[in-house]
Amino acid sequence: MKKTLFFALLSVSFLISQAQVSPVAKLSGYILDKNNQRPLAGVSIQLQTGKGTTTDSSGFFRITTAPGTYNVSVSSLNYITRTINNIVLTSGNESTISIELEPLSKKLDEIVIVNKRSSARATSLESPLSIQRMTTEEIKRNPGGNFDISKVIQSLPGVGGGVGGGGYRNDIVIRGGAPSENVYYLDGIEIPILNHFGTQGSGGGPQGILNANFIEEVKVSTSAFDAKYDNALSSVLQFKQKSGNNNATQGNAILSATDLALTLDGPISKKTTYLASARRSYLQFLFQALDLPIRPNYWDFQFKTNTKIDDKTTLSFIGLGAIDEFRFAAPKEASLEKLYVLNSNPLINQWNYTFGTSLKRLTKNGFWNLALSRNMLDNQLDKYENNNAPSETTRTLLTDSREAENKLRFDVSAVKNGWKINYGASTQYVDFKNEFFALVRKQIKDANGNVIQNPLTINSLNSIYFLKYGAFVQVSKKVFNERMSMSLGTRIDGNSLSSSESNPFKQFSPRLSLSFAATEKLNLNASVGRYFKLPSYTQLGYGNIQSSFFVKNPGEYISSNHYVTGIEYIPNNAFRLTVEGFYKYYSNYPVSIIDGVSLANKGAEIGSVGNEPVSQVGNGKAYGMELLMQKKLTKRFFGILSYTYYHSTFTDKTGKYIPASWDNRHLLSITWGYKFRKNWELGMKFRYQGAAPYTPFDMVASRINYLTQGVGIFNNGQYNTLRLKPFNSGDVRIDKKWNFNKFTFDLFMDVSNWYASKISGVPEYTFSRTADGSGFTTTDGKPIKLDGSNAIPVILPNVSSITTPSFGFIIEF
């Protein structure tokens, strides 16, 4: 007790001594020309307090001021003035930002395009609509987000959170498209895996991998994609990382309810800076304490280095990796819900990484970029009739898969005579190995030995190696006295796989975007485009021996035509209103031969998508409208309201259009925050998601197969004919920050579903069990029969109303 009291008094004395010294904060960064990426000298950097500085010959600046939240104004002769809102400066870490300025536009009759550039504006010349952006502060302070970018972007219009909306997974569903239709880029390097325990062939998972402290900005494009990005049907998510501090090494540690993370950044030499982080979960200990039967465990790592070779050349390296393990343990107190979890999900061993390097060189009229990267996923899944007593004789699922991509891309950006020109080419070498086994149906006999169900298994053992290649060009210009912006682009893609398409011109992908400045504050926008995506490697690599022939899946490119129109209204520097209508038409979508369901409806479960025979005869439609109102922080308040109404349908094997699994119809999100005095901050979020479709159980097939599969069997003849109850939930976050002389301490509380709303998931099929959970109760009191004929079926409603409080702290040093 004496030792504890001594150290407590010592700690208090240290904090008091730190508090007696007035803390200072620093903001630094680089100002660049947006078109040619050259550093700008003599640029004025001004805080709203009046304090400011100018950039040096390398475009660099540094400001020392008191800790607080600032709006930063950046201005220079012949450039559009920009204001960056909600930059939080602390005494613990120096904040580093990179700001791009657009060249000044000409004055028009009664319209001055100069004044249109504001911090609320998110679009660009190439993509004048269907663009949203979020800053690092908006990500980290998002209520219920838990520093997870995949959850945070669900505040944006058109972005849904999976089937039920309030589940544990990050299935990013955008404008009614499947989770597999999105692509992700980190500083221009594609990262195919965004989540821990990711669903192979889809991309969703329960927890994001990216470290929010690395991210300076997130750009979400839901249509009018830049031509340099391939394989996107629903969205392109671009994550821009900040640069390491070039002054001194600094860091932060975050302890939350789920994990512990450490981040460091600083200089390696006069020309090189770095960022590095590691995160370790301790969910397995929390779930053990709560007597839950699952034991998830994950690690992730991230790094970036940036080297300025000379005034025109920059070399960057990035890395991202994760290790995931998912196990089970028998609960001390058994219940139907806990015992159902044990055998309804697979055991998981998964790891992945992405390494990439990019060389950027400034030219007379712009710049070029050369990027080289490698990514790999190793996915191993095992499932047994009893996961707590695994045996090869009772195995129902095996996945042993490894996919690797080696990518090379070269692109050029230049501005000539008012034309902005982008062009480039890319190639990838794909190495995919896959062993897959699934027991779809086991042979079942009745008490008299009669076969009442024939067996059905999926076996695939195959390796594929092939090249992917593509090229693009895009030109953009302001015309009619710069009152109208237009962008025209196209790309072509092909590959060397025998079951796919080698002629890239068959995947000719044109796109056109137009923006008209109706007034100084109002833009009218429209775009049309045709986009292609190669099916998942699990589908391409599937192969099965049937009657001495090796049967392969088709590998046609999936296509989607986009038609979008809308308005953008920006009355002042901090407010933005957009309204958009969209229509998407899909063709060549894969449809399962076994159950007749479009693969567009799959991917919201643990495991993989595409490991089955398919035919590419499916079509799809998604259409609707979006509303966004965003208020950037000016004094103390900031907020965002988004609403989407849409329909999403895909055809089955008969060609009949059926509501997609994510056809929620309504998405509403309201997020706001208020910064009080003395570094208190309050954030609240409300989300509503309409009723999601789901499929009823085939009660006969479920009874027969439950003991083998551990789950019920859906009646695909009535696919998605029922609907869950609508989802709604409220989250709240409170932060209190203390700035000391050399470090900052931030204490936070994040409460998900604070008013205990009932959240519905797809019902679960099981059998009634004995009181201690050791066996099944039966209709005749005898041991349960293999065909389940004497079992007592139970439908679990899968409804929860749990309020989840999360406490944690952040130390910056």
Side-chain angles (χ1 to χ4, degrees), residues 28-30 60 62 94 96-98 187 214 216 241-250 264-276 302-309 313-319:
S28 62
Y30 289 89
F60 180 77
R62 177 176 280 117
E94 179 175 331
T96 303
I97 59 175
S98 177
D187 285 348
F214 273 53
E216 185 173 310
Q241 297 184 107
K242 67 180 184 179
S243 296
N245 181 24
N246 64 2
N247 188 38
T249 296
Q250 59 185 19
L264 297 172
D265 71 285
I268 296 176
S269 67
K270 290 183 178 180
K271 293 186 176 183
T272 303
T273 61
Y274 79 94
L275 294 98
Q302 192 171 339
F303 77 86
K304 174 187 177 180
T305 66
N306 195 72
T307 302
K308 191 171 184 180
I309 297 175
T313 312
T314 304
L315 179 66
S316 299
F317 289 90
I318 70 161

Side-chain angles (χ1 to χ4, degrees), residues 104 122 127 252 278 341 397 513 766:
L104 193 64
S127 302
N252 67 71
V341 169
L397 176 68
S513 298
T766 187

Side-chain angles (χ1 to χ4, degrees), residues 84 112 160 178 202 241 309 355 366 377 400 409 423 433 462 554 560 570 648 668 673 701 785 799 811:
I84 312 300
V112 184
S202 178
Q241 297 184 107
I309 297 175
F355 292 117
L377 167 67
D400 187 358
R409 188 181 75 245
Y423 60 92
K433 299 179 178 67
N462 196 17
S560 180
I570 305 178
S648 177
L668 173 65
K785 298 178 181 179
V799 176
I811 300 176

Side-chain angles (χ1 to χ4, degrees), residues 88-284:
V88 177
L89 303 182
T90 67
S91 59
N93 284 174
E94 179 175 331
S95 295
T96 303
I97 59 175
S98 177
I99 301 173
E100 297 177 347
L101 294 184
E102 294 183 39
L104 193 64
S105 299
K106 297 177 181 178
K107 289 188 177 182
L108 312 179
D109 295 337
E110 300 181 354
I111 298 178
V112 184
I113 302 300
V114 172
N115 296 329
K116 284 174 46 198
R117 184 59 188 173
S118 73
S119 60
R121 188 181 177 101
T123 57
S124 63
L125 178 61
E126 296 88 349
S127 302
L129 76 171
S130 302
I131 297 286
Q132 310 297 340
R133 298 177 189 265
M134 301 191 80
T135 65
T136 181
E137 198 61 29
E138 291 170 330
I139 295 168
K140 291 190 287 188
R141 305 302 179 208
N142 187 276
N146 196 28
F147 308 102
D148 190 338
I149 297 171
S150 300
K151 288 184 173 67
V152 172
I153 64 172
Q154 294 174 30
S155 298
L156 300 176
V159 184
V163 175
Y168 68 94
R169 287 177 56 88
N170 292 331
D171 293 303
I172 301 175
V173 177
I174 294 182
R175 289 183 170 177
S180 60
E181 297 176 13
N182 312 306
V183 295
Y184 316 106
Y185 284 83
L186 184 66
D187 285 348
I189 302 294
E190 186 175 5
I191 50 172
I193 308 296
L194 193 64
N195 291 288
H196 288 284
F197 308 102
T199 300
Q200 189 177 13
S202 178
Q207 176 66 44
I209 294 175
L210 290 177
N211 183 343
N213 287 303
F214 273 53
I215 305 303
E216 185 173 310
E217 182 185 67
V218 179
K219 178 182 175 182
V220 183
S221 307
T222 53
S223 193
F225 309 134
D226 286 357
K228 64 181 176 182
Y229 299 116
D230 67 320
N231 247 25
L233 295 181
S234 280
S235 80
V236 177
L237 276 74
Q238 301 170 58
F239 305 99
K240 178 184 177 183
Q241 297 184 107
K242 67 180 184 179
S243 296
N245 181 24
N246 64 2
N247 188 38
T249 296
Q250 59 185 19
N252 67 71
I254 302 178
L255 178 68
S256 70
T258 57
D259 48 50
L260 173 65
L262 175 66
T263 302
L264 297 172
D265 71 285
I268 296 176
S269 67
K270 290 183 178 180
K271 293 186 176 183
T272 303
T273 61
Y274 79 94
L275 294 98
S277 73
R279 179 170 57 169
R280 170 77 158 92
S281 76
Y282 48 82
L283 278 173
Q284 66 274 31

